[in-house]
Amino acid sequence: MIDRPTPPPIPEALKRAREDFPILKREVSGKPLIYLDNAASTQKPQSVIDAITQYYAYENSNIHRGVHLLSTEATAAYENARTKLAAYLNANDESEIVFTRGATESINLVAHSFLAPLVSAGDEILISHMEHHANIVPWQLLCERTGAVLKVAPIFDNGDLDTDSYISLMGPRTKLAAIVHVSNSIGTVNPIERIIEAAKDRSIPTLIDSAQSIQHMKLDVQVLDCDFLVFSGHKMFMPTGIGGLYGKRAKLDSMRPYQGGGDMIAHVSFDGTTFKAPPYRFEAGTPHIAGGIGIAAGIDYIESIGRDLIHDYETQLIDYAANRLKSTAGVRLIGEPSNRAGAISFVMNAAHAHDIGTILDTEGIAVRSGHHCCEPLMKRFGISATARASIALYNNHEDIDALVESLGKVHQLFG
Ligand code: PMP
């Protein structure tokens, strides 16, 4: 008989949270939905859905250039999202928040507008072995164009970053140190404070990929003192197609535009064009206005519960999940990092990751299977895919118990 870990108590504020997400009431395969694919995208609370509906039903209009009421209302609502995001991250002010389509576009923006003019052949860009493709491929493309070299810091067998090696790879030619805060595949929380400190000592700019941390813990960019931080709205209870880039104002001021078009210019003539100050310089064309409004509502939602409470609860829940999965017959965890948030990857001899995902779906359980856009990481562990369970504030130990029970069936049937 295996000892079961004690399930974490669910705080009052989070017991009610489940009710706030209408999709969690639906059934899949005739069973109540158990949604454990939050690292791919989180569900949306009613308040976010309502804010978007309200915008399209009563306020819809293009922003920034209109003088009529709808346009000024929509502009105020969109810019309110920027102000809220600046406060959420404790940026110096809202001009340090650039709206993008998400983490991927934010990284590409930094690659094009910040780094491209600074690198030449032989310069180095530093990342780790556990990066999402979004924090690999833009740098590879830049290296291809410039002759710069991508340096990859190793990780240990348990999925922890070899931080000493990462820091020792920072050299006189390192032009950027980029690192994922929390691994989307294996849940490792990286010691970004130490990395940023070491980079600052060597005057190396830093980029933090917070796509998998911003929804699980408090981030304070002034305390962190990173130069750039990227994130996606859809992974934090907000709409798809919008996210952001935090950049230190001095860095943003030094950068050329990313794309050209309307709204990002000060003046245009056929003799030449001048650009607006950041952040608008980086936001060409009509933005995702409804998305911005969804971001503002999403931040209100998270703050109404409290980020510390969410973090404390989720830390207990992910530990509970890791302990339960570890002692489930036939299940092997991929990565047992010393500090974990959000996600757990595993494999089974009984079934390929994709088959696990398909079988769990028949039980109403949504997990992700595949390489999770981390092919180099999969290769590091000698596998091609994992099944991944990832949590959000509305999950509870019953979700984990149901997952474990279903995996037990997979093992019995096919093991
Ligand atoms: N980085 C990490 C760690 C991620 O998990 C993801 C999304 N899976 C991204 C970057 C890219 O995010 P998006 O696709 O929303 O741009």
Short mmCIF file of all heavy atoms in Angstrom, two decimals, residues 289-329:
data_model
loop_
_atom_site.label_atom_id
_atom_site.label_comp_id
_atom_site.label_asym_id
_atom_site.label_seq_id
_atom_site.Cartn_x
_atom_site.Cartn_y
_atom_site.Cartn_z
N ILE A 289 -7.35 45.34 -29.79
CA ILE A 289 -7.98 46.21 -28.77
C ILE A 289 -8.76 45.37 -27.77
O ILE A 289 -8.61 45.53 -26.55
CB ILE A 289 -8.90 47.25 -29.45
CG1 ILE A 289 -8.10 48.04 -30.50
CG2 ILE A 289 -9.50 48.19 -28.40
CD1 ILE A 289 -8.93 48.84 -31.47
N ALA A 290 -9.58 44.46 -28.28
CA ALA A 290 -10.36 43.61 -27.37
C ALA A 290 -9.43 42.78 -26.48
O ALA A 290 -9.74 42.53 -25.31
CB ALA A 290 -11.28 42.69 -28.17
N GLY A 291 -8.30 42.41 -27.05
CA GLY A 291 -7.32 41.64 -26.27
C GLY A 291 -6.80 42.46 -25.10
O GLY A 291 -6.66 41.95 -23.98
N GLY A 292 -6.51 43.73 -25.37
CA GLY A 292 -6.04 44.61 -24.29
C GLY A 292 -7.08 44.73 -23.19
O GLY A 292 -6.77 44.68 -21.99
N ILE A 293 -8.32 44.86 -23.63
CA ILE A 293 -9.41 44.97 -22.65
C ILE A 293 -9.52 43.68 -21.84
O ILE A 293 -9.74 43.70 -20.62
CB ILE A 293 -10.70 45.37 -23.39
CG1 ILE A 293 -10.57 46.85 -23.79
CG2 ILE A 293 -11.95 45.10 -22.56
CD1 ILE A 293 -11.51 47.32 -24.85
N GLY A 294 -9.28 42.56 -22.51
CA GLY A 294 -9.26 41.27 -21.81
C GLY A 294 -8.11 41.18 -20.82
O GLY A 294 -8.23 40.59 -19.75
N ILE A 295 -6.99 41.78 -21.18
CA ILE A 295 -5.83 41.78 -20.26
C ILE A 295 -6.17 42.55 -18.98
O ILE A 295 -5.90 42.09 -17.86
CB ILE A 295 -4.58 42.39 -20.96
CG1 ILE A 295 -3.97 41.34 -21.88
CG2 ILE A 295 -3.57 42.89 -19.93
CD1 ILE A 295 -2.57 41.62 -22.36
N ALA A 296 -6.80 43.72 -19.16
CA ALA A 296 -7.15 44.52 -17.97
C ALA A 296 -8.09 43.72 -17.06
O ALA A 296 -7.88 43.67 -15.83
CB ALA A 296 -7.82 45.83 -18.41
N ALA A 297 -9.08 43.07 -17.66
CA ALA A 297 -10.03 42.29 -16.85
C ALA A 297 -9.34 41.09 -16.20
O ALA A 297 -9.63 40.73 -15.06
CB ALA A 297 -11.20 41.82 -17.73
N GLY A 298 -8.41 40.50 -16.93
CA GLY A 298 -7.68 39.34 -16.40
C GLY A 298 -6.82 39.72 -15.20
O GLY A 298 -6.74 38.98 -14.21
N ILE A 299 -6.18 40.87 -15.30
CA ILE A 299 -5.35 41.31 -14.16
C ILE A 299 -6.25 41.57 -12.95
O ILE A 299 -5.94 41.15 -11.82
CB ILE A 299 -4.54 42.57 -14.54
CG1 ILE A 299 -3.45 42.17 -15.52
CG2 ILE A 299 -3.95 43.23 -13.29
CD1 ILE A 299 -2.60 43.30 -16.02
N ASP A 300 -7.38 42.23 -13.18
CA ASP A 300 -8.33 42.46 -12.07
C ASP A 300 -8.71 41.13 -11.43
O ASP A 300 -8.81 41.02 -10.22
CB ASP A 300 -9.60 43.16 -12.57
CG ASP A 300 -9.34 44.63 -12.87
OD1 ASP A 300 -8.28 45.14 -12.46
OD2 ASP A 300 -10.20 45.25 -13.54
N TYR A 301 -8.93 40.14 -12.29
CA TYR A 301 -9.36 38.83 -11.77
C TYR A 301 -8.26 38.22 -10.89
O TYR A 301 -8.51 37.80 -9.76
CB TYR A 301 -9.71 37.88 -12.92
CG TYR A 301 -10.17 36.55 -12.39
CD1 TYR A 301 -11.45 36.40 -11.84
CD2 TYR A 301 -9.29 35.47 -12.33
CE1 TYR A 301 -11.85 35.20 -11.28
CE2 TYR A 301 -9.69 34.27 -11.77
CZ TYR A 301 -10.97 34.14 -11.26
OH TYR A 301 -11.36 32.96 -10.68
N ILE A 302 -7.05 38.19 -11.41
CA ILE A 302 -5.94 37.59 -10.64
C ILE A 302 -5.74 38.35 -9.32
O ILE A 302 -5.60 37.74 -8.26
CB ILE A 302 -4.63 37.61 -11.47
CG1 ILE A 302 -4.76 36.71 -12.69
CG2 ILE A 302 -3.44 37.17 -10.62
CD1 ILE A 302 -3.59 36.79 -13.67
N GLU A 303 -5.77 39.68 -9.41
CA GLU A 303 -5.53 40.47 -8.19
C GLU A 303 -6.66 40.31 -7.18
O GLU A 303 -6.43 40.45 -5.98
CB GLU A 303 -5.35 41.96 -8.54
CG GLU A 303 -4.18 42.27 -9.47
CD GLU A 303 -2.80 42.13 -8.82
OE1 GLU A 303 -2.66 41.34 -7.86
OE2 GLU A 303 -1.87 42.79 -9.31
N SER A 304 -7.87 40.00 -7.68
CA SER A 304 -8.99 39.83 -6.74
C SER A 304 -8.77 38.58 -5.88
O SER A 304 -9.32 38.47 -4.78
CB SER A 304 -10.33 39.76 -7.49
OG SER A 304 -10.46 38.49 -8.12
N ILE A 305 -7.99 37.65 -6.38
CA ILE A 305 -7.67 36.45 -5.59
C ILE A 305 -6.38 36.67 -4.81
O ILE A 305 -6.29 36.37 -3.62
CB ILE A 305 -7.55 35.21 -6.50
CG1 ILE A 305 -8.92 34.92 -7.13
CG2 ILE A 305 -7.06 34.00 -5.72
CD1 ILE A 305 -8.88 33.87 -8.20
N GLY A 306 -5.39 37.21 -5.49
CA GLY A 306 -4.11 37.49 -4.82
C GLY A 306 -3.03 36.55 -5.32
O GLY A 306 -3.17 35.33 -5.25
N ARG A 307 -1.96 37.13 -5.82
CA ARG A 307 -0.90 36.31 -6.42
C ARG A 307 -0.16 35.46 -5.40
O ARG A 307 0.29 34.37 -5.71
CB ARG A 307 0.07 37.20 -7.20
CG ARG A 307 -0.48 37.53 -8.57
CD ARG A 307 0.53 38.29 -9.39
NE ARG A 307 0.51 39.71 -9.06
CZ ARG A 307 1.40 40.58 -9.52
NH1 ARG A 307 2.37 40.18 -10.30
NH2 ARG A 307 1.32 41.86 -9.20
N ASP A 308 -0.02 35.98 -4.17
CA ASP A 308 0.70 35.18 -3.16
C ASP A 308 -0.10 33.94 -2.81
O ASP A 308 0.44 32.84 -2.68
CB ASP A 308 0.97 36.02 -1.91
CG ASP A 308 2.05 37.06 -2.17
OD1 ASP A 308 2.84 36.85 -3.12
OD2 ASP A 308 2.10 38.07 -1.46
N LEU A 309 -1.41 34.15 -2.69
CA LEU A 309 -2.27 33.02 -2.35
C LEU A 309 -2.24 31.97 -3.48
O LEU A 309 -2.12 30.77 -3.23
CB LEU A 309 -3.70 33.53 -2.13
CG LEU A 309 -4.69 32.51 -1.61
CD1 LEU A 309 -5.50 33.13 -0.46
CD2 LEU A 309 -5.63 32.05 -2.70
N ILE A 310 -2.32 32.45 -4.71
CA ILE A 310 -2.26 31.53 -5.87
C ILE A 310 -0.94 30.77 -5.86
O ILE A 310 -0.90 29.54 -6.01
CB ILE A 310 -2.41 32.33 -7.20
CG1 ILE A 310 -3.81 32.95 -7.29
CG2 ILE A 310 -2.13 31.44 -8.40
CD1 ILE A 310 -3.97 33.97 -8.43
N HIS A 311 0.13 31.47 -5.62
CA HIS A 311 1.46 30.85 -5.66
C HIS A 311 1.60 29.79 -4.56
O HIS A 311 2.05 28.67 -4.81
CB HIS A 311 2.55 31.91 -5.53
CG HIS A 311 3.93 31.33 -5.55
ND1 HIS A 311 4.77 31.35 -4.47
CD2 HIS A 311 4.60 30.66 -6.52
CE1 HIS A 311 5.90 30.73 -4.77
NE2 HIS A 311 5.82 30.32 -6.01
N ASP A 312 1.18 30.15 -3.35
CA ASP A 312 1.31 29.20 -2.22
C ASP A 312 0.52 27.93 -2.50
O ASP A 312 0.99 26.82 -2.32
CB ASP A 312 0.80 29.82 -0.91
CG ASP A 312 1.77 30.86 -0.40
OD1 ASP A 312 2.87 30.95 -0.97
OD2 ASP A 312 1.41 31.58 0.54
N TYR A 313 -0.71 28.13 -2.95
CA TYR A 313 -1.58 26.97 -3.20
C TYR A 313 -1.03 26.11 -4.33
O TYR A 313 -0.94 24.88 -4.22
CB TYR A 313 -3.00 27.46 -3.52
CG TYR A 313 -3.88 26.34 -4.01
CD1 TYR A 313 -4.26 25.32 -3.14
CD2 TYR A 313 -4.32 26.29 -5.33
CE1 TYR A 313 -5.05 24.26 -3.58
CE2 TYR A 313 -5.10 25.25 -5.78
CZ TYR A 313 -5.47 24.24 -4.90
OH TYR A 313 -6.24 23.20 -5.35
N GLU A 314 -0.66 26.75 -5.42
CA GLU A 314 -0.18 25.99 -6.58
C GLU A 314 1.11 25.24 -6.27
O GLU A 314 1.34 24.14 -6.80
CB GLU A 314 0.05 26.92 -7.77
CG GLU A 314 -1.23 27.36 -8.44
CD GLU A 314 -0.98 28.14 -9.72
OE1 GLU A 314 0.21 28.39 -10.06
OE2 GLU A 314 -1.95 28.50 -10.38
N THR A 315 1.95 25.83 -5.44
CA THR A 315 3.20 25.15 -5.08
C THR A 315 2.88 23.84 -4.36
O THR A 315 3.48 22.79 -4.63
CB THR A 315 4.07 26.07 -4.19
OG1 THR A 315 4.28 27.27 -4.89
CG2 THR A 315 5.41 25.44 -3.87
N GLN A 316 1.90 23.91 -3.45
CA GLN A 316 1.51 22.68 -2.74
C GLN A 316 0.87 21.68 -3.70
O GLN A 316 1.12 20.47 -3.62
CB GLN A 316 0.52 23.01 -1.63
CG GLN A 316 1.11 23.87 -0.51
CD GLN A 316 0.04 24.23 0.50
OE1 GLN A 316 -0.62 23.38 1.07
NE2 GLN A 316 -0.15 25.52 0.70
N LEU A 317 0.06 22.19 -4.61
CA LEU A 317 -0.65 21.29 -5.52
C LEU A 317 0.31 20.60 -6.49
O LEU A 317 0.18 19.39 -6.76
CB LEU A 317 -1.73 22.06 -6.30
CG LEU A 317 -2.62 21.20 -7.19
CD1 LEU A 317 -3.41 20.17 -6.37
CD2 LEU A 317 -3.59 22.05 -8.01
N ILE A 318 1.29 21.34 -6.99
CA ILE A 318 2.22 20.72 -7.95
C ILE A 318 3.13 19.71 -7.23
O ILE A 318 3.47 18.67 -7.79
CB ILE A 318 3.03 21.79 -8.74
CG1 ILE A 318 3.56 21.20 -10.06
CG2 ILE A 318 4.17 22.39 -7.97
CD1 ILE A 318 2.56 21.02 -11.13
N ASP A 319 3.46 19.99 -5.97
CA ASP A 319 4.24 19.01 -5.19
C ASP A 319 3.42 17.75 -4.97
O ASP A 319 3.92 16.63 -5.08
CB ASP A 319 4.63 19.58 -3.82
CG ASP A 319 5.80 20.54 -3.95
OD1 ASP A 319 6.38 20.61 -5.04
OD2 ASP A 319 6.10 21.24 -2.95
N TYR A 320 2.15 17.96 -4.64
CA TYR A 320 1.24 16.82 -4.44
C TYR A 320 1.18 15.99 -5.72
O TYR A 320 1.30 14.76 -5.70
CB TYR A 320 -0.14 17.35 -4.07
CG TYR A 320 -1.21 16.29 -3.95
CD1 TYR A 320 -1.31 15.50 -2.81
CD2 TYR A 320 -2.12 16.07 -5.00
CE1 TYR A 320 -2.29 14.52 -2.69
CE2 TYR A 320 -3.10 15.10 -4.90
CZ TYR A 320 -3.18 14.33 -3.75
OH TYR A 320 -4.15 13.36 -3.64
N ALA A 321 1.04 16.68 -6.86
CA ALA A 321 0.94 15.97 -8.14
C ALA A 321 2.22 15.21 -8.44
O ALA A 321 2.18 14.04 -8.85
CB ALA A 321 0.64 16.99 -9.25
N ALA A 322 3.37 15.85 -8.20
CA ALA A 322 4.65 15.19 -8.50
C ALA A 322 4.80 13.95 -7.61
O ALA A 322 5.21 12.88 -8.09
CB ALA A 322 5.80 16.16 -8.28
N ASN A 323 4.44 14.08 -6.33
CA ASN A 323 4.57 12.94 -5.43
C ASN A 323 3.64 11.80 -5.81
O ASN A 323 4.01 10.63 -5.78
CB ASN A 323 4.30 13.37 -3.98
CG ASN A 323 5.47 14.14 -3.43
OD1 ASN A 323 6.62 13.86 -3.80
ND2 ASN A 323 5.22 15.12 -2.58
N ARG A 324 2.43 12.15 -6.18
CA ARG A 324 1.47 11.10 -6.57
C ARG A 324 1.92 10.41 -7.86
O ARG A 324 1.86 9.20 -8.00
CB ARG A 324 0.07 11.69 -6.74
CG ARG A 324 -0.58 11.98 -5.38
CD ARG A 324 -1.95 11.38 -5.25
NE ARG A 324 -2.00 9.94 -5.43
CZ ARG A 324 -3.10 9.24 -5.67
NH1 ARG A 324 -4.24 9.87 -5.79
NH2 ARG A 324 -3.08 7.94 -5.80
N LEU A 325 2.33 11.21 -8.84
CA LEU A 325 2.72 10.61 -10.12
C LEU A 325 3.97 9.75 -9.97
O LEU A 325 4.09 8.69 -10.59
CB LEU A 325 2.95 11.71 -11.17
CG LEU A 325 1.68 12.34 -11.72
CD1 LEU A 325 1.99 13.60 -12.51
CD2 LEU A 325 0.92 11.35 -12.61
N LYS A 326 4.88 10.22 -9.11
CA LYS A 326 6.13 9.49 -8.89
C LYS A 326 5.87 8.09 -8.35
O LYS A 326 6.59 7.15 -8.66
CB LYS A 326 6.99 10.27 -7.90
CG LYS A 326 8.43 10.20 -8.19
CD LYS A 326 9.23 11.34 -7.60
CE LYS A 326 9.10 11.44 -6.08
NZ LYS A 326 9.94 12.52 -5.56
N SER A 327 4.82 7.97 -7.56
CA SER A 327 4.57 6.65 -6.96
C SER A 327 3.46 5.89 -7.70
O SER A 327 2.86 4.97 -7.17
CB SER A 327 4.24 6.80 -5.47
OG SER A 327 3.24 7.77 -5.31
N THR A 328 3.17 6.32 -8.93
CA THR A 328 2.17 5.60 -9.74
C THR A 328 2.88 4.55 -10.60
O THR A 328 3.82 4.90 -11.33
CB THR A 328 1.41 6.59 -10.65
OG1 THR A 328 0.79 7.58 -9.83
CG2 THR A 328 0.35 5.90 -11.48
N ALA A 329 2.44 3.31 -10.48
CA ALA A 329 3.11 2.22 -11.20
C ALA A 329 3.16 2.52 -12.70
O ALA A 329 2.15 2.93 -13.29
CB ALA A 329 2.36 0.90 -10.96
#
